[in-house]
Amino acid sequence: MKVYEIRNGFGFDALTLTERPEPKPGPGQVLVKVHAVSLNFRDLMVVAGIYNPKMALPRVPCSDGAGEVVDVGENVKAVKRGDRVAGTFFQRWVEGDVTIDKAKSTLGGDLDGMLSEYVVLNEHGVIPVPEHLSYEEASTLPCAGVTAWNALITHGGLKAGDSVLVQGTGGVSIFSLQFSKMMGARVIATSSSDKKLERVHSLGASEGINYKTTPKWDERARELTNGIGVDHLVEVGGAGTLSASLRAIRPGGQISMIGVLSGPGEVNPLPILMKNIRVQGIFVGNRAVFEAMNRAITINRLKPVVDRVFEFKEAHEALRYMESGAHFGKICIRI
Amino acid sequence: MKVYEIRNGFGFDALTLTERPEPKPGPGQVLVKVHAVSLNFRDLMVVAGIYNPKMALPRVPCSDGAGEVVDVGENVKAVKRGDRVAGTFFQRWVEGDVTIDKAKSTLGGDLDGMLSEYVVLNEHGVIPVPEHLSYEEASTLPCAGVTAWNALITHGGLKAGDSVLVQGTGGVSIFSLQFSKMMGARVIATSSSDKKLERVHSLGASEGINYKTTPKWDERARELTNGIGVDHLVEVGGAGTLSASLRAIRPGGQISMIGVLSGPGEVNPLPILMKNIRVQGIFVGNRAVFEAMNRAITINRLKPVVDRVFEFKEAHEALRYMESGAHFGKICIRI
Amino acid sequence: MKVYEIRNGFGFDALTLTERPEPKPGPGQVLVKVHAVSLNFRDLMVVAGIYNPKMALPRVPCSDGAGEVVDVGENVKAVKRGDRVAGTFFQRWVEGDVTIDKAKSTLGGDLDGMLSEYVVLNEHGVIPVPEHLSYEEASTLPCAGVTAWNALITHGGLKAGDSVLVQGTGGVSIFSLQFSKMMGARVIATSSSDKKLERVHSLGASEGINYKTTPKWDERARELTNGIGVDHLVEVGGAGTLSASLRAIRPGGQISMIGVLSGPGEVNPLPILMKNIRVQGIFVGNRAVFEAMNRAITINRLKPVVDRVFEFKEAHEALRYMESGAHFGKICIRI
Amino acid sequence: MKVYEIRNGFGFDALTLTERPEPKPGPGQVLVKVHAVSLNFRDLMVVAGIYNPKMALPRVPCSDGAGEVVDVGENVKAVKRGDRVAGTFFQRWVEGDVTIDKAKSTLGGDLDGMLSEYVVLNEHGVIPVPEHLSYEEASTLPCAGVTAWNALITHGGLKAGDSVLVQGTGGVSIFSLQFSKMMGARVIATSSSDKKLERVHSLGASEGINYKTTPKWDERARELTNGIGVDHLVEVGGAGTLSASLRAIRPGGQISMIGVLSGPGEVNPLPILMKNIRVQGIFVGNRAVFEAMNRAITINRLKPVVDRVFEFKEAHEALRYMESGAHFGKICIRI
């Protein structure tokens, strides 16, 4: 079978399309024919060697993929041949609290990932996907979808009428927008592009803030909320945006720390104290979160926003496109 | 001013349209010109003397009303003349946990109610209502709306994808349906009338069960949920329906005990234990719940379902109409 | 090996000491040499055929036991030979929410239980026990200990200064008393015996109520709490005591439904509604609850109260002693 | 009456003992004869002009004091003459969520504080104190006590068996230690002094870490917790210690941001994300938290740790002593 490996060091050039023997499922395992993979910023950092410079190589990248169960090992009960499934980001974090062991089981990180024609996963490491979704759409769920759900619903306790600020138009942000609308919340979105802001409006955002033309977007967010600040804020920028986020949030509000797109840096934590803010780190989430999200997606017939689909041989182009930041929603690779 | 009093005993005949001097607001109080009142089953029981046979008389009935602030006393800061407001069910339960003192401050029960041309209330005993609502619509919120919100969202932690069973088509049930849809949940409704079930479908219920033609509605509810049972159930019937509700709910699910429409009775509590069920008593809720609900109603432009509006002089007819059980949603009285 | 079986029908006479071949652990399984078993009221009902008259026979009774891991199957990682462990009540409910499948995995109910010289269990169906406990003491934890912890701490959110009412002096009640004291709460205990009330005082209960001499124990509980009622109440009696419990609890308080010692019956649910009470069914709990409890028992060097230890051949006597209700705390069987 | 004012600028020299006419309580207000005040690091910053350089002067400093109600205004119901009370840190945050208005009502900050022979406060701005406490002991509760309780119990959901790390031996840290012990938790304390560590042991800390001799105290904290990290950490240092705290906490653990004793600075927020950490800002808390804490202190006969009591005329010496950092627990001023 064909598979991408990071080998002989990191960087785009180290990402190599190669061949491996097709794997066989052992007891409790399933063989999945992967039909689609979606990219996350993390995949870019993994390939670049920024995410974990000590990662054992060769390693198959990409945490997120969906496909069909084509074979099952002994004693497999949870799924069967023919099931349409996605892999779970953490292979060993099924439910309950996170532990160090559960956390060390990420696809495309601790373990080989999904950028492969076939993968063998534990039966509890795959999850059936909503029927109304294509494989490309389903492939967007494991990291970006679960992260947004875990932040806003599981940890954030989001309810109708709450205000949510989402930063930019990457995968997690667009899912956060969609889930917030699904739950009857009010969404304020930021972007550097008026064109993208038009699209977030069409997806249901109440207000958009162009942070190029309105650099003090946090002030604008407070203005839009009667001077109080927003209830929830999904922080994808990290150190570069967190200080402004701490100004944009209301006293007692919740910031979900999800990404570090703005790069490394440091932040003065004093406002966390003075405003009784909760900063909740969100590193994806467990399989139970995925299940709850799937139920909601199914009932509400929600469609993930797929920006563009690349062919399997175009993995490098796909990653470069993600790097460009031009996308709106998710980037997929068809296999 | 004109006002209805229960006097010289209970029963419909004891409800008398009479005159009282127009009240003046003291410090911290406001004078509200009442424009509309909505009825609850509790009002019927109050008038009948079933609710509290020892209630001190005369008493102005009806907990729920909306109107305009026409005068304010000294030191009033929370509202001003011209504000469109509703009264809060509990005049002294503003926020936080319930206490005995807070609970003994109900309009149309412990205190004179809203079936009056004017009322004087504490400034924190009124709450601004969403702009897009008429006074009739706004008058439906204090008891039925707040109860449904408190049950499903405050205590129930409802989220998109959850399943909710609502019983019948009274005020709380229809609000429960509407709020559940607003939050992306799946609603199963019961009714004795296929015609009413058609209407609940049009309001967004996924499934309806006619409990006349399907007396084992709990079995049907389990069938509709893969044999598991529903996540939330809003129990308005009381003892007469609770045993079936305990069969319709999933293990670990939540039943909100809200009403006793089916009359007095007793129930075997054993399934509560065996299925790890939470039975949460909901007696309306505090002003903070009302505020949260108002934000959601405003953002989502939700319209309460008003079945029929009576004139002020038709209070007896309005109560008899409620007694008949023919209504769908709320019954109002215009003042 | 020697083992007790319920066979050829129910009742004490059907409980038979017999022989079975010593089992071997398969992949992911462990062999435990059982050193001690403790009894629960449920075991009595199982043997009597009241608990589940359709139970497949023969069946080894008793959910709770502790012993030593003497052999492990392939791929076992969680425990090793020599570990001192207890079985978990639910063999498949490791963590997260309850499901029908997880619930149908009880020892001494759905599956053969612990009244046996050896048992084979899944590696996740055993849990290491605190070092300072004897096997008899450790054997009291799986059902009674976990139930009390799940009720008060996991679901009840107990905190220092809260008031807790425990009924009688059975296993769950004494654990509830001990955990409440460990958490700085105030405990009010009821009993029919002044002598037992002296013992609960010595275990830390602030007040005792003899419900023989003070039949209106609920009134007394309110008096002891400034007329308000207690914050938590651990209901072990079921229908026979629940109505009084609904009077003894404060508005907004929590009743944990744990047992039905008073036999079958029915209850008027109206006070649940009027007082905003939460009635939470507690059917033991998952392995994660057990782990949290074990940490607390270890840190606080808590000793379970063992009333009396019977020999293996005295299983009938032990059950009859439980039936008599004379015990204070737990009854054990040494193997 | 005698009173300290900050006037004509900030700094120790600006703190002046002066005279004001004795105030009279208006409607809903009470007159308190202050018997004792306790100091917080915030008071030092207020006097120095660091806390709020734009504070309107003159201002009476100190948020925390206790005394006797000696007169009450009209309509006061909550307290009566002769009651022993403390002031609440926030005069308008009685219960429920924080708002901007509630937050702007701090004693010794937004409003005149307690360093005065008499103060007039709102009836809901005072709270009865446990009977077994002296006025000095009671004066330690409003800021340090409530902060520790709000962090660990209200927001942290602390339970027996959890591990808690407290930094140093200031007021909040010692209360955190005491409340943790009261709740059956395990406490690890840090200090620069072995002598102080001896004292924290005698108060119930399981382990002490001298961060002078063990600069990598976070590593030591992980070692003491099987390599996992502590469950809760009460962060009083701010930017200077937060990075180490993020290493000392377990995945999924909670850091309560309470103080900035180490001065201003910045922190890399990345570990918050990668370890699923919750960083919860805690700015004291509301009156309902105070009430819950008082119940626990009463039931458990807890005694706050008073390091030293100064006379009223020695306010400057008291502040300088706090500045020196030599104290263990609370510093009080007798009035």
Side-chain angles (χ1 to χ4, degrees), chain A residues 276, chain D residues 93 145-156 282 284-286 289:
Chain A
N276 283 290
Chain D
W93 190 11
V146 170
T147 297
W149 187 271
N150 200 23
L152 289 171
I153 289 90
T154 313
H155 277 93
I282 299 286
V284 194
N286 64 24
V289 173

Side-chain angles (χ1 to χ4, degrees), chain C residues 177-256:
Chain C
L177 159 54
Q178 290 180 297
F179 293 151
S180 296
K181 288 308 297 178
M182 186 195 273
M183 299 273 289
R186 168 189 178 191
V187 179
I188 300 172
T190 67
S191 174
S192 61
S193 147
D194 283 340
K195 206 162 175 181
K196 286 183 174 175
L197 288 175
E198 271 174 44
R199 288 191 66 189
V200 298
H201 277 297
S202 72
L203 285 168
S206 305
E207 289 99 359
I209 306 175
N210 185 321
Y211 62 83
K212 291 275 181 204
T213 54
T214 308
K216 296 198 172 174
W217 60 267
D218 53 300
E219 247 175 45
R220 180 70 189 134
R222 282 202 310 281
E223 273 171 31
L224 290 170
T225 49
N226 298 321
I228 293 166
V230 297
D231 298 311
H232 302 256
L233 192 151
V234 182
E235 173 62 66
V236 298
T241 44
L242 184 53
S243 292
S245 296
L246 290 168
R247 291 190 297 268
I249 196 85
R250 73 159 166 82
Q254 169 160 338
I255 293 177
S256 301

Side-chain angles (χ1 to χ4, degrees), chain B residues 147-157 164-165 167 172 176 231-238 242 245 249 253-259 277-283, chain C residues 272-273 277:
Chain B
T147 297
W149 187 271
N150 200 22
L152 290 170
I153 288 90
T154 313
H155 278 93
V164 180
L165 188 141
Q167 300 175 327
V172 173
S176 296
D231 298 311
H232 302 256
L233 191 150
V234 182
E235 173 62 64
V236 298
L242 184 53
S245 296
I249 197 84
Q254 169 159 337
I255 294 178
S256 301
M257 277 287 297
I258 275 175
I277 296 167
R278 172 173 290 182
V279 179
Q280 176 68 55
I282 298 287
F283 188 32
Chain C
I272 297 173
L273 157 56
I277 296 167

Side-chain angles (χ1 to χ4, degrees), chain A residues 261-283:
Chain A
L261 294 178
S262 67
E266 302 202 322
V267 170
N268 176 0
L270 183 59
I272 297 174
L273 157 57
M274 295 306 292
K275 288 176 68 177
N276 283 290
I277 295 167
R278 172 172 290 181
V279 179
Q280 176 68 55
I282 299 287
F283 188 32

Side-chain angles (χ1 to χ4, degrees), chain C residues 42-65:
Chain C
R42 171 181 178 269
D43 301 319
L44 206 59
M45 292 194 292
V46 165
V47 170
I50 297 166
Y51 193 80
N52 178 7
K54 296 174 186 167
M55 186 180 277
L57 301 181
R59 172 70 79 234
V60 180
C62 292
S63 58
D64 293 7

